[in-house]
Amino acid sequence: MDLKVPPFLVILIPLLLSYIGTGGDAAHSTASSPSPSPRPSPVARGPAPPVTGGGRSTLDPRQLTALQSIGLSTTRDPCALPSPHDNATACDSASPFRHLVSLRLANCSPDVDLSPTALSALYTLRSLSLLRCPIPAPRRLPASLASSLRSFSCVSSLRRLNGVMLSRLENLTDLVVVDVPVSASGPAVVLSQMHHLRSLTISRANLSGRLPHHWHTLDLVHLDLSSNSLKGSIPSTISVLGYLQTLNLSSNALTGTLPDSIGDLIFLKNATFSQNSLSGPIPNSISQLSNLTHLDLSSNQLNGSIPRFLSEMKELKFLNLENNSFQGAIPFNATSIKRLEFFKVGGNSNLCYNHTLLSSKMKLGIAPCDKYGLPVSPPPDKSSKSDSDYSDDDGEDDDNENEKKRSGGHHGPSKLVLGVAIGLSCLVFLVIFLVCLSRMCG
Ligand SMILES: *[C@@H]1O[C@H](CO)[C@@H](O)[C@H](O)[C@H]1NC(C)=O
Ligand SMILES: *[C@@H]1O[C@H](CO)[C@@H](O)[C@H](O)[C@H]1NC(C)=O
Ligand SMILES: *[C@@H]1O[C@H](CO)[C@@H](O)[C@H](O)[C@H]1NC(C)=O
Ligand SMILES: *[C@@H]1O[C@H](CO)[C@@H](O)[C@H](O)[C@H]1NC(C)=O
Ligand SMILES: *[C@@H]1O[C@H](CO)[C@@H](O)[C@H](O)[C@H]1NC(C)=O
Ligand SMILES: *[C@@H]1O[C@H](CO)[C@@H](O)[C@H](O)[C@H]1NC(C)=O
Ligand SMILES: *[C@@H]1O[C@H](CO)[C@@H](O)[C@H](O)[C@H]1NC(C)=O
Ligand SMILES: *[C@@H]1O[C@H](CO)[C@@H](O)[C@H](O)[C@H]1NC(C)=O
Ligand SMILES: *[C@@H]1O[C@H](CO)[C@@H](O)[C@H](O)[C@H]1NC(C)=O
Ligand SMILES: *[C@@H]1O[C@H](CO)[C@@H](O)[C@H](O)[C@H]1NC(C)=O
């Protein structure tokens, strides 16, 4: 009697194991998608002591008049917080009269006039921000205002800015000019006097000329000169900007190679060189950028092979190498690709993937490699299941090994069916076994 129990266990154990197997596989296949990036918090306002007196403002009367002359409603104390609507003001806490330290004008009516008198009265401003105020630019900024300003932001405002006028804002730490044409022979004109700049954005500004060879702005942390008409090469002297964390030079007409000295920018986190005419290889010095999280080299004429270190960089989350002339096998396997939240290599006709390391299912937009490390065939322009954006070569016909591996390893439903089938047959066997047992006993 006792001898009949072991076969009973022999049936139950595989039943249990197959159940656990399918469960584990299902959990594994729920891949996580990239998480949204946190947004920087808005600029903090100045201190806010309570307003004194029955509705009367404590603001310097000259500044109050200036605000009225540029069309700001002052029925409410401009020093009171929070500021209403799009327009915002902030004051210091001086007495008897307080002074404006920050002014933001948004969505101006077209008749607003930034007169020299008004601007002179605003000599205490440390921050001036204009958003969608397409009024004529003042011909010049009064010297006292120019030296007081630490932050100047002009987005879709003032119709046109003059590079020389901007250069007079010598004490700026933050400069933002977006969607406003800037006339200057190059960025060097704007930057010539600014020694304290930490963040510079001049984007979609039709800025022409070349990148500076001599940099005075050694404290720069953020540099964005994207979407302009900059030409020439990226100077190797850019490495003097030793605190840079973000560099965006995308959508210009830059030529030449990526300088080796870029590896000296050891704090670099985000680097974007997309949409230029850069050529040559990816410099090996990039492997020294241990904090690099975002690298966009797309739409250039870069060539050579893709260096292995790119698949080993711990912090890298975003890698776009699309639309270049890279060649050879990509140094990535499924694990190193999964670690990235964004990965694109399509549009490189001489690039291929090693089909023993990667499945065609990943839709990388490149062909598998032959044994010489060359793409097996030119990627077909019109594949049967054409996705208008990418010419995916799924290489399934010449890739039977992968086909097998996939259906065996990753298809959840087929594994589930198998498990259920085994389970059911075990159950039937168990019932027969128990019936036999009861007959023997009975
Ligand atoms: C903000 O200020 C500008 C310029 O003075 C003015 O044209 C606009 O109407 C103001 N907007 C609001 C909502 O008060
Ligand atoms: C701003 O810049 C001017 C000229 O460069 C300088 O004289 C002044 O000390 C700086 N600081 C302030 C607070 O104006
Ligand atoms: C952009 O700059 C070019 C010269 O560099 C000039 O001819 C053109 O008018 C500018 N465009 C705008 C919109 O300012
Ligand atoms: C770089 O600039 C482009 C164009 O202005 C913009 O679309 C892109 O988001 C920027 N990239 C980064 C990483 O800031
Ligand atoms: C990388 O970033 C960390 C934290 O942001 C910082 O402590 C470290 O110094 C950085 N390393 C380099 C080489 O920039
Ligand atoms: C830097 O890159 C990361 C990863 O792609 C992105 O989430 C972040 O918004 C970028 N930051 C800036 C300032 O461009
Ligand atoms: C890359 O392109 C340059 C010309 O831009 C050429 O001289 C060089 O030989 C190319 N390198 C490779 C590896 O194809
Ligand atoms: C690469 O080229 C394709 C086809 O021309 C285009 O659709 C895609 O937007 C390009 N990618 C980038 C990052 O520019
Ligand atoms: C995948 O690539 C990474 C980085 O190149 C490497 O460290 C790892 O050993 C590779 N894994 C496999 C399974 O080949
Ligand atoms: C593909 O990967 C395998 C295993 O790592 C390696 O033996 C083979 O040489 C690689 N093939 C090519 C073309 O790189």
Side-chain angles (χ1 to χ4, degrees):
M1 286 283 282
D2 283 356
L3 287 172
K4 301 236 158 131
V5 177
F8 171 73
L9 284 177
V10 166
I11 294 158
L12 264 183
I13 286 167
L15 189 80
L16 270 170
L17 282 181
S18 79
Y19 178 74
I20 290 165
T22 47
D25 199 56
H28 192 77
S29 66
T30 54
S32 63
S33 54
S35 57
S37 58
R39 290 252 136 222
S41 56
V43 185
R45 297 226 180 82
V51 189
T52 56
R56 280 193 53 210
S57 177
T58 52
L59 184 63
D60 179 340
R62 229 179 105 206
Q63 297 197 326
L64 200 61
T65 312
L67 289 184
Q68 282 159 352
S69 83
I70 58 180
L72 235 79
S73 158
T74 54
T75 51
R76 197 179 159 283
D77 183 0
C79 290
L81 283 180
S83 295
H85 311 302
D86 301 326
N87 295 324
T89 47
C91 304
D92 66 10
S93 50
S95 67
F97 294 119
R98 299 167 72 186
H99 296 103
L100 281 174
V101 292
S102 163
L103 173 61
R104 186 178 98 131
L105 300 179
N107 304 318
C108 298
S109 48
D111 55 344
V112 168
D113 179 21
L114 293 176
S115 71
T117 322
L119 290 173
S120 303
L122 298 176
Y123 68 100
T124 54
L125 281 183
R126 295 182 139 251
S127 168
L128 175 59
S129 167
L130 302 163
L131 176 63
R132 291 183 298 273
C133 283
I135 55 178
R139 223 170 295 131
R140 51 179 289 275
L141 286 181
S144 54
L145 175 59
S147 72
S148 171
L149 281 180
R150 297 294 182 273
S151 168
F152 178 61
S153 168
C154 181
V155 178
S156 308
S157 299
L158 299 184
R159 296 184 194 168
R160 169 171 294 280
L161 282 168
N162 181 290
V164 175
M165 190 196 86
L166 284 174
S167 75
R168 303 232 163 91
L169 306 176
E170 297 179 3
N171 292 334
L172 286 186
T173 59
D174 290 83
L175 173 59
V176 174
V177 177
V178 177
D179 282 327
V180 189
V182 170
S183 31
S185 60
V189 171
V190 179
L191 297 178
S192 56
Q193 318 287 324
M194 296 182 189
H195 298 278
H196 310 294
L197 212 52
R198 291 172 51 77
S199 175
L200 172 66
T201 299
I202 302 181
S203 182
R204 303 200 292 262
N206 198 29
L207 185 62
S208 56
R210 294 162 172 268
L211 288 168
H213 273 271
H214 300 288
W215 299 86
H216 311 282
T217 49
L218 302 182
D219 296 335
L220 270 184
V221 171
H222 174 87
L223 176 58
D224 180 351
L225 296 173
S226 62
S227 303
N228 285 300
S229 315
L230 298 173
K231 55 187 194 318
S233 58
I234 300 171
S236 62
T237 54
I238 199 162
S239 63
V240 303
L241 304 177
Y243 297 116
L244 265 194
Q245 288 180 16
T246 57
L247 174 60
N248 193 343
L249 298 175
S250 74
S251 302
N252 279 288
L254 298 171
T255 52
T257 59
L258 285 166
D260 269 331
S261 65
I262 216 141
D264 297 339
L265 301 173
I266 56 162
F267 294 111
L268 206 56
K269 283 200 174 89
N270 290 32
T272 305
F273 300 98
S274 58
Q275 319 270 0
N276 279 290
S277 299
L278 299 168
S279 56
I282 296 178
N284 284 328
S285 64
I286 286 189
S287 64
Q288 296 159 31
L289 303 177
S290 56
N291 278 354
L292 197 66
T293 62
H294 184 112
L295 180 63
D296 190 348
L297 301 174
S298 61
S299 299
N300 280 287
Q301 284 116 52
L302 296 165
N303 69 1
S305 55
I306 294 176
R308 173 160 298 276
F309 66 76
L310 283 181
S311 69
E312 291 160 357
M313 294 182 82
K314 298 238 154 37
E315 298 298 322
L316 200 63
K317 294 283 181 292
F318 181 109
L319 181 61
N320 196 345
L321 304 172
E322 211 174 24
N323 300 344
N324 277 288
S325 304
F326 293 119
Q327 66 193 47
I330 60 169
F332 286 86
N333 56 35
T335 318
S336 50
I337 287 182
K338 242 178 224 152
R339 231 184 33 220
L340 296 167
E341 288 165 7
F342 185 102
F343 178 69
K344 286 234 156 90
V345 287
N348 289 279
S349 53
N350 293 320
L351 204 60
C352 57
Y353 66 90
N354 186 331
H355 62 85
T356 64
L357 301 176
L358 289 168
S359 140
S360 61
K361 232 172 64 181
M362 296 193 92
K363 304 247 174 276
L364 296 171
I366 52 175
C369 298
D370 64 13
K371 61 185 171 184
Y372 307 107
L374 300 170
V376 284
S377 57
D381 281 345
K382 290 185 180 73
S383 68
S384 50
K385 43 172 176 175
S386 71
D387 171 346
S388 59
D389 278 348
Y390 309 102
S391 58
D392 287 321
D393 180 75
D394 28 35
E396 269 167 11
D397 308 332
D398 39 334
D399 213 347
N400 287 325
E401 222 174 57
N402 265 329
E403 197 77 69
K404 254 183 278 166
K405 205 162 57 182
R406 260 183 289 143
S407 56
H410 281 285
H411 279 207
S414 61
K415 186 138 200 185
L416 198 75
V417 166
L418 200 69
V420 168
I422 291 173
L424 279 178
S425 46
C426 287
L427 213 69
V428 167
F429 198 79
L430 191 69
V431 167
I432 293 170
F433 173 77
L434 287 174
V435 166
C436 287
L437 201 70
S438 67
R439 285 211 179 138
M440 276 173 75
C441 289

